[in-house]
Amino acid sequence: MPNPRDPSEQPPMPSPVWAPEPPIKEPEPDHLPDETPLPNPDENNDPPAQF
């Protein structure tokens, strides 16, 4: 069995070729689309509608 500290005749292994995936972009906590406040139609400054 060869000594593991002796240099070997094999070339070193090539470095990995993968590229890391870009991070997932998450929306800002104050701008979540499902939490956008909707204006209440009963709360407005318009005068009462006459029907």
Side-chain angles (χ1 to χ4, degrees):
M1 180 171 161
N3 187 349
R5 295 182 185 221
D6 289 340
S8 66
E9 296 177 6
Q10 292 180 338
M13 290 183 61
S15 61
V17 188
W18 63 273
E21 294 182 13
I24 298 172
K25 293 194 176 200
E26 295 186 8
E28 293 293 324
D30 296 337
H31 300 96
L32 296 176
D34 59 342
E35 294 182 358
T36 304
L38 297 175
N40 187 344
D42 295 333
E43 296 176 1
N44 57 27
N45 295 331
D46 296 337
Q50 300 293 325
F51 292 105

